[in-house]
Amino acid sequence: MAESGQRLGQLLVRAGVISDKQLTDAIQVHTATGSPLGRVLVDLGYATQGAILAVMASQIGIPYIDFTSRRPDPVAVTLVPKELAQRYALMPVCMSEEGELIVAMADPQNVLALDDLRIITGHEIKAAISTKDEIMAAIEEHYQVAEHTEMDTFIGTEDMDHAELDALTDVTSEAPIVKLVNFVIQKAVAERASDIHIEPQENDLRVRFRIDGVLHEIMRSPRAIQAAVISRFKIMAEMDIAESRKPQDGHCAVTIGGTKIDFRVSTLPTVYGERVVLRILRKDAILLQLSDLGFLPVVLERFESSFRKPYGAILVTGPTGSGKSTSLYAAINVLNSPHRHILTAEDPVEYRLDGINQCQVAPKAGLTFARALRSFLRCSPDVILVGEIRDQETARIAIESALTGHLVLSTLHTNDAPGALTRLIEMGIEPFLVASALDCILAQRLARRLCSTCKQEYKPSEKMLLEAGYSPDNLPETLFKAKGCKKCGKTGYRGRMGVHEVLLVSEEISRLTVEEATAEKIKAVAIAEGMLTLRQDGLEKVRAGITSVEEIVRVIV
């Protein structure tokens, strides 16, 4: 065996990558075949190419980059053209504190590649090493910018005539900043994020995505580009980049692969600078049918029965971000027909629906939910949707509308369905009006679905099942839990579904409401009449292998 092979084997043993016996086995194969020792170790499954490279790199003083755990900085990525990265099998990683561009290379001794990088980027290059397969995979994953992303053109504010504002606007139009912003937006859409958070920190700029209701840190960029990145987002949303001391709201649109996607943009001053949140408005989310929202068949039947009546009130309750609006839109999709006059009052109107008359409330102009509702009643509607019942006046008009021949749908912030009855009474609505007007209350939460590719079956203990809330005489034998794979971003979950609680206001519940009974007493009667609680509904979805016990415990108190 060659002397270099002997040294490599000894280094790998000392590093704990392989054992003495594995080295002996590999040496025998190497001697018999003449194949390089490193290749033999990989073929035998004793070591990965990355592990061998990492040990070699530490010996020669070159950093090893493992792209399975290290994300390249998008700012660095924008400095090197994709064609050059593919030609030389290299991947920009980040900028060092000394201003050097750190680049992972399959061949860090390629002088031609290093010279080309210096000329094109204008930076000194610090070579690192990685496997060619990892580098090429990283190129495909992270060079997803610009080709299919087109920003709508915005003109910004009209009063940007100061020199420093002109300079800042120039910087935000430069290719690296534009590519970075495009990268963030396109990656968010590709990963099904609902929100993008751009957050200045003390030493850097943090970017997080909310995916399936949970925030994930995507990257951190140098603080030096903070002002340009945030100003780029503000210009896109037609905000005033000269104003950084007050919150601002705006709107922008992006075309990705021929599909137009709208964003609601908000800024908020913080101690380290303005933070920006972009809410991704996906029209496909509000075109869902009720059957797409994760209802159990028996629960869906109870909820749909409330639409058969020509009048009455239907409330959807839950905390912010629990999918109330999506459920309301799905219900409206069921009701929408040329024979019905549907009016909505929303704050804001995020989605335009064909065949429906939508009204944007504007409190500053005096157009509140209550005033919009009063106007609606003079327009002879069949169905009224109120974005949210926030105060007594809105609640009273909505209840009275339901009693005078209109079908009223709205949302209310309560923890469960029975709590909506007592909440309306606490707001000052007479109990007999509440009992007479309300037909159905839907409480809901959003839980993550287990990734269908990697979910793992297991046999739970009886104690765990009882603590979760399963009935002792109906325990499931096997359940599934999250594992994590590339498809789900190592989270074990992909997509979300609703967990529901449907209370139908029966004669007995009406009587209890008039008597101002407690929510707990109303809940007990509702369960006796066939209502599944949020937890029971969630546990049935765990039994079906759709989600996990841990996820239901996380979202339902």
Side-chain angles (χ1 to χ4, degrees), residues 4 25 50 72 105 108 157 232 235 263 278 294 312 335 376 380 387 413 448-449 465 484 507 509 514 519:
S4 60
D25 292 344
M105 305 174 68
T157 54
R232 174 66 182 170
I235 288 173
F263 293 81
L278 291 87
L335 298 169
F376 284 1
S380 184
H413 286 277
R448 293 179 293 174
R449 293 177 181 268
L465 292 172
E507 289 184 11
I509 290 175
V514 172

Side-chain angles (χ1 to χ4, degrees), residues 326-486:
T326 301
S327 293
L328 278 181
Y329 281 127
I332 286 292
N333 286 336
V334 174
L335 298 169
N336 191 10
S337 76
H339 309 296
R340 285 195 180 95
H341 180 200
I342 302 175
L343 288 170
T344 76
E346 304 171 60
D347 183 21
V349 175
E350 294 181 342
Y351 304 99
R352 275 66 172 177
L353 302 175
D354 292 335
I356 294 176
N357 301 285
Q358 296 172 272
C359 174
Q360 167 95 41
V361 301
K364 290 182 180 178
L367 182 57
T368 61
F369 278 120
R371 180 167 289 188
L373 276 176
R374 284 197 210 95
S375 300
F376 284 1
L377 297 178
R378 295 192 290 270
C379 298
S380 184
D382 298 305
V383 181
I384 297 172
L385 185 149
V386 185
E388 183 182 345
I389 293 178
R390 298 176 179 173
D391 52 52
Q392 184 190 64
E393 187 179 11
T394 305
R396 184 174 298 281
I397 299 171
I399 292 295
E400 290 174 353
S401 301
L403 290 171
T404 55
H406 304 91
L407 184 61
V408 179
L409 295 88
S410 189
T411 68
L412 193 66
H413 286 277
T414 62
N415 289 328
D416 58 10
L421 294 163
T422 56
R423 173 70 180 134
L424 287 171
I425 294 171
E426 288 169 0
M427 292 176 73
I429 309 302
E430 289 79 358
F432 72 90
L433 290 177
V434 174
S436 302
L438 279 181
D439 282 324
C440 174
I441 303 165
L442 166 66
Q444 69 178 55
R445 301 290 188 275
L446 288 178
R448 293 179 293 174
R449 293 177 181 268
L450 284 169
C451 175
S452 58
T453 303
C454 67
K455 66 180 181 180
Q456 195 169 40
E457 189 175 8
Y458 72 103
K459 189 168 184 177
S461 67
E462 183 177 340
K463 180 182 177 183
M464 188 270 277
L465 292 172
L466 293 174
E467 288 177 350
Y470 282 104
S471 172
D473 57 354
N474 190 23
L475 298 177
E477 292 185 5
T478 60
L479 297 177
F480 288 86
K481 62 183 177 180
K483 182 181 179 182
C485 64
K486 187 173 182 180

Side-chain angles (χ1 to χ4, degrees), residues 14 79 109 132 143 169 193 284 364 383 394 410 503:
R14 283 202 293 271
L79 296 175
Q109 295 181 333
K132 184 174 182 179
Y143 276 95
T169 303
D284 55 353
K364 290 182 180 178
V383 181
T394 305
S410 189
L503 184 152

Side-chain angles (χ1 to χ4, degrees), residues 147-356:
E147 295 115 22
H148 304 295
T149 305
E150 301 171 9
M151 297 298 173
D152 284 358
T153 302
F154 300 101
I155 59 172
T157 54
E158 296 178 356
D159 57 350
M160 294 187 291
D161 53 357
H162 296 87
E164 58 186 26
L165 291 182
D166 289 338
L168 186 55
T169 303
D170 290 342
V171 170
T172 63
S173 301
E174 292 178 359
I177 296 299
V178 172
K179 286 184 178 180
L180 175 58
V181 170
N182 289 6
F183 173 87
V184 169
I185 290 174
Q186 186 171 359
K187 190 171 181 64
V189 172
E191 296 194 4
R192 305 170 297 104
S194 60
D195 303 270
I196 304 171
H197 294 253
I198 313 296
E199 303 169 319
Q201 305 292 298
E202 184 176 6
N203 299 313
D204 52 25
L205 184 68
R206 180 172 68 176
V207 177
R208 293 192 292 174
F209 294 165
R210 188 177 294 280
I211 302 171
D212 294 333
V214 178
L215 280 170
H216 299 270
E217 184 173 312
I218 301 302
M219 71 179 199
R220 288 180 180 259
S221 292
R223 186 172 172 80
I225 67 168
Q226 173 183 314
V229 169
I230 291 172
S231 294
R232 174 66 182 170
F233 281 115
K234 290 173 71 175
I235 288 173
M236 287 167 51
E238 296 187 289
M239 295 179 182
D240 184 357
I241 68 170
E243 178 57 74
S244 60
R245 294 172 298 177
K246 295 179 182 177
Q248 295 186 64
D249 293 294
H251 178 274
C252 68
V254 176
T255 302
I256 298 179
T259 302
K260 184 178 179 182
I261 299 174
D262 293 323
F263 293 81
R264 192 175 72 203
V265 186
S266 300
T267 66
L268 179 70
T270 70
V271 292
Y272 296 122
E274 286 181 285
R275 76 189 301 274
V276 180
V277 178
L278 291 87
R279 182 75 183 273
I280 303 175
L281 307 176
R282 300 175 183 270
K283 190 157 188 175
D284 55 353
I286 53 90
L287 296 176
L288 294 173
Q289 301 299 313
L290 284 168
S291 55
D292 299 325
L293 302 183
F295 281 92
L296 293 174
V298 64
V299 178
L300 180 58
E301 184 180 351
R302 285 169 62 87
F303 185 47
E304 285 188 325
S305 69
S306 61
F307 298 129
R308 298 181 188 140
K309 301 177 183 178
Y311 56 86
I314 299 171
L315 293 181
V316 182
T317 75
T320 301
S322 59
K324 298 188 297 296
S325 296
T326 301
S327 293
L328 278 181
Y329 281 127
I332 286 292
N333 286 336
V334 174
L335 298 169
N336 191 10
S337 76
H339 309 296
R340 285 195 180 95
H341 180 200
I342 302 175
L343 288 170
T344 76
E346 304 171 60
D347 183 21
V349 175
E350 294 181 342
Y351 304 99
R352 275 66 172 177
L353 302 175
D354 292 335
I356 294 176

